[in-house]
Amino acid sequence: MAPDAASTAPASEALDRIKSIVGDKGWSAAPDDQAPLLTDWRGHFSGQCALLVRPASTEETAQVMTVCAEYGIAVVPQGGNTSMCAAATPQPHGHEILLNMGRMNAIRDVDPLNYTVTVEAGCILQDIQAASAEADRLFPLSLGAEGSCQIGGNLSTNAGGVNVLRYGNARDLVLGLEVVLPSGQVWNGLRRLRKDNTGYDLKHLFVGSEGTLGVITAAVLKLFPLPKDVQTCFAAVRDLDAVIELLARAREASGDAVSSFEMIGRFGIDLAIKHISGITDPLQERNDLYALIEFSGARADSGMAGNMEAFLETAFEDGLVLDATIAQSDAQRGNFWKIREGITEAQAVEGGSIKHDIAVPVSRVPDLVRTATQAVVDFMPGIRPCCFGHVGDGNLHFNFSQPPEMEKKAFLEHWHDVNRIVHDIVVEMGGSISAEHGIGQLKRDELHHYKPDLDLDLMRRIKAAIDPKGLMNPGKML
Ligand code: FAD
Ligand code: 2HG
Ligand code: ZN
């Protein structure tokens, strides 16, 4: 085990040195500045920090890390603080530096011929998408938090989102990284190459490492042609088996151009309509299960409208789809996506929720949903399943809202029991207990329960090799 770097408060002379490295705009000890950054997005974890530090450059980050290494000060890297598992929330003792990357937000270069964009870690995801679109290119990573999450956070969590089945997750979208190591050294892996077989691919150690190995300061990301023909439909689907059959058919019918395939249960739609303003129900009749499906082609004449109509017509004739509507305008498409992406916020307003971000092989999804729903409802009658998500990747947000009459606190006391019921079934089916959100603080014990000993041992050895003093994000993941 790495030593606990955060067991004592940092020396004041170390903090003074850090302040002078980053200058007046680069640090704050004011409670008002720090408060929003010390609690996780879901509001379940809170911490304290010895100092909030906001470096403006790689050089400043490296100097700060050098001081931290010298004095043995622990560091919590932070992006947009939208983690679903409290991965960027410091611990309560207040001995850590909170290293918020938001000031490092330059887009260094867009190269449309190389199909790459080079960005600093603090760039907001939506700004990268916009800068790429201006160059007629697509940066396909897309998720509900894209207006506030940062690319450094996306890479550190290996984020997924709604376009993974076509373009891959964050790991698949990165060509190069620049990382400040716990020693203060800068590892320059900022390559723009699609081929490079010169030994271990070091960048992939940092992707998905949740700030436990170093601070990502910049990245080279892959771009794609900006789609010119996007067709989006909202379909009521007969049942879970029909969803999976539809997914397979959609790939064929579109010429493998499905860019999103999301599943939404009726309860999620009801919550979004109830709690988020400006949403309308796309279909007149109520049904239990829906799919939000998008086909996209790079050329304006890709023929996606015809593909989607033919796909829905056959699915309707075969009884897989009960009703469907294809978006006729950006506003209509926006409404479909607002429902889908509003569920997280709506579920938070509705009261306590116990979440599972799970993945199983796509063909096992119906079995998983039926078995695990029954097991949880048997455990707690009245609990409200809120199942939705990236079914195209076999990744569901298999969530539960509290029974309406129950106290939120009493409901959340069953968090661990409900997690165990679901995760046991998921693991039994060869699945993952964290498909895209990561581990952080929330799922650390679950990781240790389910991950084989040898996997954990290898992870610890990598950690010890890169961060021997245990300075990076202690208490998270490992
Ligand atoms: P933070 O929350 O600030 O940090 C996350 C982790 O990354 C922490 O461990 C932190 O230490 C580390 N970190 C941050 N920046 C750096 C850096 N520069 N160097 C090293 N480590 C760093 N996630 C998905 O995968 N798919 C979704 O569809 C999705 N939808 C969401 C919808 C909503 C409404 C919300 C609130 C969240 C959603 N998330 C989703 C979760 C979250 O947005 C992602 O995990 C995101 O990638 C986190 O980015 P962030 O910048 O907010 O990182
Ligand atoms: C999404 O896909 C996010 O909307 C959040 O990953 C999921 O609220 C959730 O559990
Ligand atoms: Zn998701």
Side-chain angles (χ1 to χ4, degrees):
M1 282 286 284
D4 184 357
S7 57
T8 52
S12 60
E13 64 177 31
L15 297 181
D16 289 343
R17 276 177 64 186
I18 291 171
K19 289 176 189 171
S20 73
I21 290 165
V22 293
D24 286 348
K25 287 187 186 157
W27 64 273
S28 175
D32 285 354
D33 292 341
Q34 294 185 0
L37 309 178
L38 296 174
T39 297
D40 76 305
W41 192 90
R42 294 187 63 197
H44 291 308
F45 291 83
S46 284
Q48 298 294 326
C49 66
L51 193 67
L52 167 63
V53 181
R54 296 172 177 273
S57 65
T58 303
E59 182 52 30
E60 283 184 13
T61 309
Q63 287 184 29
V64 169
M65 292 305 295
T66 303
V67 174
C68 290
E70 197 178 314
Y71 288 85
I73 301 170
V75 176
V76 180
Q78 187 178 67
N81 197 22
T82 66
S83 168
M84 284 273 129
C85 47
T89 308
Q91 300 182 79
H93 50 56
H95 298 161
E96 297 159 326
I97 298 282
L98 184 60
L99 194 72
N100 185 288
M101 301 304 287
R103 284 176 77 214
M104 286 194 62
N105 59 2
I107 292 180
R108 291 189 186 165
D109 173 58
V110 184
D111 183 345
L113 293 182
N114 197 44
Y115 278 80
T116 51
V117 58
T118 305
V119 297
E120 291 184 347
C123 283
I124 302 285
L125 174 55
Q126 207 166 56
D127 295 342
I128 301 173
Q129 295 166 347
S132 307
E134 261 179 50
D136 202 26
R137 296 291 178 257
L138 173 76
F139 181 57
L141 190 67
S142 175
L143 40 133
E146 64 197 20
S148 49
C149 63
Q150 299 173 9
I151 193 68
N154 300 145
L155 291 166
S156 300
T157 56
N158 186 24
V162 296
N163 288 332
V164 173
L165 81 168
R166 175 79 173 276
Y167 299 100
N169 46 31
R171 182 183 300 286
D172 300 307
L173 298 173
V174 62
L175 291 178
L177 283 187
E178 178 186 80
V179 179
V180 175
L181 301 174
S183 60
Q185 289 166 292
V186 180
W187 175 63
N188 185 352
L190 217 47
R191 316 288 292 266
R192 300 193 294 160
L193 304 176
R194 282 181 165 75
K195 288 191 159 187
D196 179 11
N197 270 353
T198 54
Y200 299 141
D201 197 337
L202 297 173
K203 65 178 177 291
H204 284 305
L205 282 178
F206 299 99
V207 177
S209 69
E210 301 185 17
T212 62
L213 296 178
V215 185
I216 296 176
T217 46
V220 180
L221 307 166
K222 285 186 200 167
L223 298 179
F224 296 81
L226 193 65
K228 302 293 187 324
D229 182 3
V230 178
Q231 296 293 322
T232 313
C233 79
F234 202 90
V237 187
R238 189 193 65 209
D239 57 18
L240 290 160
D241 299 294
V243 171
I244 301 308
E245 172 69 25
L246 264 188
L247 169 62
R249 288 189 183 195
R251 291 188 62 176
E252 288 169 5
S254 63
D256 218 0
V258 184
S259 43
S260 296
F261 197 109
E262 300 284 312
M263 184 177 102
I264 315 175
R266 182 68 223 182
F267 181 59
I269 293 179
D270 287 341
L271 286 187
I273 292 172
K274 181 174 170 193
H275 294 299
I276 313 280
S277 62
I279 289 181
T280 49
D281 203 336
L283 299 171
Q284 279 182 346
E285 301 281 322
R286 282 176 69 85
N287 283 284
D288 292 339
L289 203 56
Y290 299 80
L292 200 181
I293 309 168
E294 207 152 87
F295 293 178
S296 48
R299 290 164 55 129
D301 61 355
S302 298
M304 290 303 155
N307 290 345
M308 184 158 273
E309 277 165 25
F311 157 71
L312 287 175
E313 213 173 281
T314 321
F316 190 74
E317 280 165 16
D318 294 346
L320 299 175
V321 162
L322 308 175
D323 194 4
T325 174
I326 300 175
Q328 301 300 323
S329 63
D330 285 349
Q332 237 181 334
R333 175 174 178 253
N335 181 54
F336 295 175
W337 278 110
K338 200 168 170 183
I339 295 173
R340 163 61 188 86
E341 304 212 308
I343 299 173
T344 302
E345 197 185 320
Q347 226 199 335
V349 180
E350 182 71 9
S353 61
I354 298 178
K355 290 175 184 274
H356 309 88
D357 164 38
I358 51 96
V360 291
V362 169
S363 51
R364 302 295 312 263
V365 164
D367 194 13
L368 178 272
V369 175
R370 281 191 286 258
T371 311
T373 304
Q374 191 60 54
V376 174
V377 170
D378 286 349
F379 173 76
M380 189 187 288
I383 198 168
R384 294 173 294 167
C386 181
C387 179
F388 63 98
H390 320 292
V391 71
D393 314 318
N395 171 200
L396 293 178
H397 298 307
F398 193 71
N399 299 347
F400 292 86
S401 283
Q402 64 175 82
E405 68 286 355
M406 201 182 224
E407 282 294 317
K408 181 174 174 178
K409 190 168 170 293
F411 173 68
L412 293 179
E413 277 163 13
H414 296 285
W415 192 316
H416 176 76
D417 298 327
V418 175
N419 278 182
R420 237 350 114 77
I421 292 170
V422 173
H423 289 161
D424 278 354
I425 296 170
V426 167
V427 170
E428 170 68 28
M429 289 188 182
S432 169
I433 62 156
S434 178
E436 59 170 9
H437 294 161
I439 300 299
Q441 306 184 54
L442 183 70
K443 291 189 191 151
R444 195 184 55 186
D445 294 346
E446 289 297 272
L447 178 82
H448 289 233
H449 180 74
Y450 291 106
K451 199 98 173 153
D453 287 346
L454 183 57
D455 294 45
L456 287 170
D457 183 42
L458 288 170
M459 284 168 69
R460 287 195 191 99
R461 285 198 249 165
I462 291 169
K463 169 81 173 167
I466 297 178
D467 181 22
K469 296 180 180 167
L471 299 181
M472 298 303 309
N473 215 0
K476 315 293 164 45
M477 190 191 301
L478 286 171

